[in-house]
């Protein structure tokens, strides 16, 4: 019976986790998320997860200043140090990685002190949010309208990811110009696609109450929410998992010109590394990418 429960948990985490996990990390999700694993196992698995994320997303950066053999002998603490000292300004990600590393050491070694449940939950959350931090860092240095297709490339990801990232850039009380309104628009639509229509409407009403949207802008957004809510399950290619995300990404990449690819190189590389070893799904009966009147800058849904 215990085995069946564990298998059910494995299926659940693979199908429903809302954080994108590179393929090499899929088999450790059960250790991180299952209710049947100990707190020590969860922390130790999170430490392993940091090593995997570094190998997927930062190996090329680290080996640009050292050999492959040196990289393979390098301790986790030194790999994190290399990221910090790279000069690439990876925001808080190296701090987050080191925090997880230290917590993981507690799980890997015998310790009489009880590990707090809230500490484990916090480390698991921070572990799963590492990919979000990569995107947040890139968009802190590059606007969502860097090119006509920058926002479209980002939109190939699962709505839950887009919501978490956009919430770092679009906040009630800080909607001051058309660019801010465009990000707010994207956040509202991502919320609806993520089955959070009520939260989207709540945000919209708050922005109207704060005087950040006029009457016509308010009703434009309200109508947009209604349209997306009606189409999101059948007509739009909304990514429900990494397979869908890779399908969407490949579709967008097929129509980008070389200049667009150069300008968005960093963002493209992040998503390509996430999708490595993932098979794209079929488009099915959805209408494919539709050009939609965002009102502020061009995007596709």
């Amino acid at each position: 019976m215990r085995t069946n429960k564990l298998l059910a948990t494995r299926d659940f985490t693979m199908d429903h986790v809302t954080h994108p996990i590179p393929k090499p990390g899929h088999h450790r999700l059960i250790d991180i998320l299952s209710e049947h694993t100990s707190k020590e196992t969860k922390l130790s698995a999170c430490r392993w997860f940091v090593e995997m994320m570094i190998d997927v997303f930062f190996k090329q950066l680290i080996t640009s200043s050292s050999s492959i053999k040196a990289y393979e002998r390098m301790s986790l603490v030194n790999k994190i140090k290399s990221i910090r000292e790279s000069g690439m300004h990876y925001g808080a990600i190296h701090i987050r990685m080191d925090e997880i590393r230290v917590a993981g050491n507690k799980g890997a070694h015998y310790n009489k002190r009880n590990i707090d449940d809230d500490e484990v939950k916090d480390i698991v959350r921070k572990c799963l949010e590492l990919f979000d931090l990569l995107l947040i860092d890139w968009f802190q240095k590059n606007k969502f309208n860097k090119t006509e297709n920058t926002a479209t490339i980002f939109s190939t990801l699962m709505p839950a990811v887009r919501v978490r990232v956009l919430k770092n850039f679009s906040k009630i009380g800080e909607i001051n110009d058309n660019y801010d309104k465009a990000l707010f628009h994207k956040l509202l639509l991502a919320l609806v696609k993520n089955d959070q229509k009520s939260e989207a409407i709540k945000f919209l009403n708050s922005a109207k109450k704060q005087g950040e949207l006029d009457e016509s802008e308010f009703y434009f957004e309200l109508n947009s929410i209604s349209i997306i809510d009606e189409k999101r399950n059948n007509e739009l290619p909304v990514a429900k998992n990494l397979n869908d995300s890779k399908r969407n990404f490949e579709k967008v990449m097929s129509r980008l010109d070389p200049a667009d690819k150069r300008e968005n190189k960093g963002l493209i590389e992040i998503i390509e590394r996430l999708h490595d070893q993932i098979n794209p799904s079929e488009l099915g009966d959805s209408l494919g990418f539709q050009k939609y009147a965002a009102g502020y800058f061009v995007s596709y849904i």
Side-chain angles (χ1 to χ4, degrees), residues 130-147:
L130 286 174
F131 180 75
D132 295 352
L133 289 183
L134 288 171
L135 295 170
I136 290 166
D137 178 72
W138 194 85
F139 280 114
Q140 283 174 339
K141 294 174 285 188
N142 302 273
K143 286 195 170 187
F144 285 81
N145 63 349
K146 181 175 184 177
T147 72

Side-chain angles (χ1 to χ4, degrees), residues 177-187 221 294 296-297:
D177 55 26
N178 280 348
Y179 179 76
D180 294 336
K181 290 175 182 179
L183 291 190
F184 185 63
H185 174 80
K186 290 194 70 65
L187 174 58
E221 297 297 354
Y296 313 105
F297 55 73

Side-chain angles (χ1 to χ4, degrees), residues 18-20 53 57 93 96 125-139 154 157-158 160-166 168-169 270:
T18 59
H19 295 77
M53 290 290 286
F57 294 102
I93 196 163
R96 178 71 57 87
R125 176 184 60 80
K126 289 176 176 178
C127 173
L128 296 176
E129 288 177 352
L130 286 174
F131 180 75
D132 295 352
L133 289 183
L134 288 171
L135 295 170
I136 290 166
D137 178 72
W138 194 85
F139 280 114
F154 174 67
L157 295 164
M158 294 181 290
V161 181
R162 287 142 58 188
V163 166
R164 290 192 301 269
V165 172
L166 284 164
N168 286 270
F169 298 95
I270 290 170

Side-chain angles (χ1 to χ4, degrees), residues 247-257 261 289:
R247 173 203 67 203
N248 293 351
F249 180 72
E250 288 184 346
K251 181 71 173 177
V252 168
M253 290 299 295
S254 70
R255 65 167 180 253
L256 292 189
D257 61 36
K261 290 179 180 179
F289 286 82

Side-chain angles (χ1 to χ4, degrees), residues 43-102:
L43 292 180
S44 180
C46 285
R47 186 188 188 282
W48 177 94
F49 191 90
V50 168
E51 292 185 273
M52 180 275 297
M53 290 290 286
I54 289 175
D55 202 61
V56 171
F57 294 102
F58 293 98
K59 183 176 181 178
Q60 187 174 345
L61 171 72
I62 296 172
T63 55
S64 67
S65 58
S66 65
S67 68
I68 295 290
K69 284 187 177 180
Y71 170 83
E72 291 172 349
R73 292 194 302 267
M74 203 176 286
S75 67
L76 178 56
V77 68
N78 283 331
K79 287 178 181 176
I80 295 171
K81 182 181 178 183
S82 294
I83 295 170
R84 185 182 73 240
E85 294 177 348
S86 69
M88 299 298 289
H89 309 294
Y90 281 102
I93 196 163
H94 61 84
I95 298 171
R96 178 71 57 87
M97 286 178 166
D98 201 55
E99 186 179 353
I100 297 168
R101 178 192 66 82
V102 171

Side-chain angles (χ1 to χ4, degrees), residues 235-294:
E235 298 181 43
L236 301 178
V238 177
K240 296 180 173 62
N241 49 48
L242 277 182
N243 308 91
D244 293 347
S245 177
K246 185 166 186 177
R247 173 203 67 203
N248 293 351
F249 180 72
E250 288 184 346
K251 181 71 173 177
V252 168
M253 290 299 295
S254 70
R255 65 167 180 253
L256 292 189
D257 61 36
D260 235 328
K261 290 179 180 179
R262 282 195 305 273
E263 287 296 308
N264 293 290
K265 183 174 182 288
L267 177 61
I268 289 169
E269 287 181 349
I270 290 170
I271 300 176
E272 282 180 336
R273 289 170 185 168
L274 171 68
H275 288 156
D276 187 39
Q277 303 179 56
I278 300 294
N279 294 319
S281 62
E282 297 294 327
L283 192 58
D285 295 328
S286 63
L287 296 178
F289 286 82
Q290 308 295 305
K291 193 170 183 179
Y292 188 73

